[in-house]
Amino acid sequence: MGLLERIFNASTRSPTQHYTYVKGLNNNQINFTPFNGNLFDNDISKSAVGCNARNIAKLRPVHVRRSGDVTVNSPNVRIARMLVQPNEFMTIYSFLEKVATHYFIYNNGVIYYDRENYKMYPINPSRIDLVEDSSHNVYAKFQFKTGCYATVPFEDLIVIRRYFNENDFFGDADRSLKPTMEVINTTDQGTVSAIKKSAGLLGYLKFNGNLKQSDIDKKVESFEETYLNAKKGTGIAGLDNTTEFKELNIKPYVPNKAQSEWSEDRIYSYLGTNKKIIQGRFDEDEWNAYYETTCEPFAIQASQVLTSVIFSDNELGHGNEIFLESNRLQYASTGSKIRVATLLTNIGGASLDQILDIFNMPQIGGEEGKRRVQTLNMVAADLADQYQVGKKKKKDEEEEDE
């Protein structure tokens, strides 16, 4: 049994219904064909995409139910299990990493939600078409590189989009980075060629005397084989007085550092990252800027789409929600962590376990870990006036006694 059979049931793979294409506002068909622009074939763009995907994979999906002032965490056991292991092949880290990779390469992170079995699968088809049946129910028709097809209800499709512009349902297949990728690939090829040329002799042979063209060709071929062959050549040439070698001092063009960095920066800007983030040399402010511009938009959109697809209208009305949370303080300086922890404990805003999480320390657990502490210097807002009046009355009584 292959993956297609494991993920999609028989009726989904071999639909008997007749479907017609859904017409968009500006075209007769709504479809999406992934185009990666060879982003994953280049080490610069691949490292940037991989960096973004790994950081997004650190997000933690959480199911909560909010009712007034009461928030219940993980009220549904099956959903809670799915948010830890979305399917039988992946953990939540691997799942988010793959979805985020597709999000940055194809501008679409596509997920199929198996509603009956509470499973989610990241899908990477070669083509997606939106079709409808006679009752105008919308479906997503997947075509895979193997030639297989699968059709699922559109309401079971989770799409996290980027550059959502021309297409009515999907992020645009963006080709804007293709010229930059061609420049980088040409630069790399030119550098390799320059290295090869600089390692050998470059020039022409002058023969003293009249020779047939066939003899000239043989001597040139013999010279190349003896002195220019990478395996045989030693860099030292020996000639008799019938032949002279004239070296051509042609310096091959190699792009300078500024030009190379300019191309790299264009890729990093397109993918929302920079060299310091990729190499782990960032400070607290740089990480916060990166998170807010690259990771947080993904987290917000994913939270909203997961919530709207997984829950029914009735469940949404009862306050069910899924959001992706992150420990924003994990890259903060120790001083910043201490200031935040001090503030939260002063106002009773965090439990002991939550304070320990800030410092990446193991939790206490149990009722003791859930306990909140608060400084005696703080007073509840609704008691502030009473506190002040009581204090003033006590002072007045002391003055009267005197």
Side-chain angles (χ1 to χ4, degrees):
M1 180 183 294
L3 286 180
L4 190 73
E5 291 79 13
R6 291 180 182 272
I7 297 174
F8 304 101
N9 58 45
S11 61
T12 301
R13 300 192 308 273
S14 303
T16 57
Q17 290 179 283
H18 176 69
Y19 297 103
T20 57
Y21 289 104
V22 175
K23 291 186 178 181
L25 296 176
N26 297 309
N27 43 45
N28 293 325
Q29 296 181 16
I30 298 177
N31 55 57
F32 169 67
T33 302
F35 174 80
N36 61 17
N38 299 323
L39 278 179
F40 235 47
D41 294 338
N42 180 273
D43 62 314
I44 299 173
S45 53
K46 189 172 185 176
S47 62
V49 171
C51 173
N52 290 344
R54 289 191 299 274
N55 285 316
I56 286 175
K58 297 175 184 177
L59 298 172
R60 178 172 171 261
V62 179
H63 173 208
V64 298
R65 182 182 295 149
R66 306 181 193 275
S67 179
D69 296 333
V70 179
T71 299
V72 180
N73 292 321
S74 303
N76 187 307
V77 176
R78 300 192 70 179
I79 292 179
R81 171 65 178 171
M82 180 181 67
L83 296 180
V84 174
Q85 186 170 6
N87 57 66
E88 61 269 39
F89 308 114
M90 302 176 182
T91 63
I92 191 62
Y93 180 94
S94 301
F95 174 85
L96 288 175
E97 184 179 21
K98 188 161 190 176
V99 173
T101 298
H102 294 168
Y103 170 80
F104 285 104
I105 293 179
Y106 306 122
N107 294 334
N108 289 278
V110 181
I111 304 167
Y112 165 58
Y113 175 47
D114 185 350
R115 195 175 300 274
E116 181 178 351
N117 298 308
Y118 288 90
K119 293 182 179 180
M120 296 187 294
Y121 298 91
I123 304 297
N124 184 23
S126 58
R127 181 183 174 92
I128 305 176
D129 290 287
L130 294 192
V131 295
E132 61 181 351
D133 58 18
S134 57
S135 300
H136 302 294
N137 297 311
V138 180
Y139 297 83
K141 182 180 181 182
F142 302 131
Q143 178 181 346
F144 298 96
K145 295 177 181 179
T146 56
C148 299
Y149 292 85
T151 306
V152 301
F154 186 76
E155 62 185 16
D156 294 337
L157 192 67
I158 300 170
V159 183
I160 305 172
R161 311 172 179 95
R162 197 167 79 111
Y163 298 124
F164 187 29
N165 180 28
E166 294 184 357
N167 198 301
D168 293 321
F169 281 89
F170 300 99
D172 296 341
D174 199 348
R175 291 169 168 79
S176 60
L177 202 60
K178 188 177 180 180
T180 303
M181 298 302 299
E182 291 177 348
V183 169
I184 291 177
N185 291 333
T186 302
T187 300
D188 290 344
Q189 294 173 9
T191 302
V192 173
S193 176
I195 293 173
K196 288 182 178 180
K197 288 181 178 179
S198 62
L201 295 171
L202 182 64
Y204 63 91
L205 294 175
K206 179 181 178 182
F207 301 101
N208 299 323
N210 296 325
L211 297 175
K212 295 180 180 179
Q213 185 61 45
S214 58
D215 294 334
I216 294 176
D217 294 339
K218 288 180 180 179
K219 286 182 175 290
V220 171
E221 183 178 348
S222 176
F223 184 86
E224 290 178 343
E225 178 66 21
T226 303
Y227 303 113
L228 302 183
N229 188 300
K231 294 182 179 180
K232 296 182 179 180
T234 62
I236 301 175
L239 300 173
D240 58 19
N241 58 6
T242 63
T243 308
E244 294 182 30
F245 176 76
K246 300 293 185 178
E247 183 179 3
L248 296 177
N249 189 17
I250 300 177
K251 295 183 179 179
Y253 171 75
V254 178
N256 58 41
K257 182 180 179 181
Q259 291 172 316
S260 299
E261 289 181 346
W262 175 78
S263 298
E264 291 181 15
D265 287 341
R266 290 185 65 181
I267 293 179
Y268 294 151
S269 297
Y270 177 84
L271 295 171
T273 186
N274 58 69
K275 187 176 291 186
K276 286 188 176 181
I277 295 294
I278 293 173
Q279 297 179 351
R281 296 184 291 107
F282 51 84
D283 58 27
E284 182 179 347
D285 293 334
E286 289 167 340
W287 167 257
N288 287 332
Y290 165 72
Y291 179 88
E292 292 175 1
T293 56
T294 302
C295 300
E296 193 172 44
F298 179 96
I300 293 173
Q301 186 184 171
S303 300
Q304 294 173 347
V305 177
L306 288 170
T307 298
S308 63
V309 172
I310 291 176
F311 299 114
S312 64
D313 291 341
N314 181 54
E315 291 171 325
L316 292 172
H318 283 81
N320 285 280
E321 177 187 354
I322 289 177
F323 67 94
L324 275 68
E325 66 176 9
S326 170
N327 181 5
R328 291 286 302 278
L329 292 171
Q330 62 183 322
Y331 296 111
S333 64
T334 302
S336 296
K337 291 181 179 181
I338 292 175
R339 287 191 293 272
V340 172
T342 302
L343 173 63
L344 292 176
T345 51
N346 283 345
I347 64 175
S351 67
L352 293 178
D353 280 346
Q354 289 172 328
I355 297 298
L356 291 173
D357 281 339
I358 293 177
F359 294 93
N360 298 319
M361 297 174 66
Q363 297 184 354
I364 299 173
E367 293 301 320
E368 181 66 17
K370 295 179 181 178
R371 185 168 63 89
R372 294 173 182 266
V373 294
Q374 181 176 346
T375 176
L376 294 176
N377 294 326
M378 296 294 177
V379 63
D382 56 347
L383 299 177
D385 290 341
Q386 180 181 343
Y387 175 78
Q388 293 294 336
V389 170
K391 187 175 181 181
K392 184 176 185 300
K393 184 182 294 185
K394 184 177 180 181
K395 184 177 181 181
D396 292 342
E397 291 176 353
E398 291 177 350
E399 291 177 352
E400 290 178 359
D401 292 341
E402 292 176 355

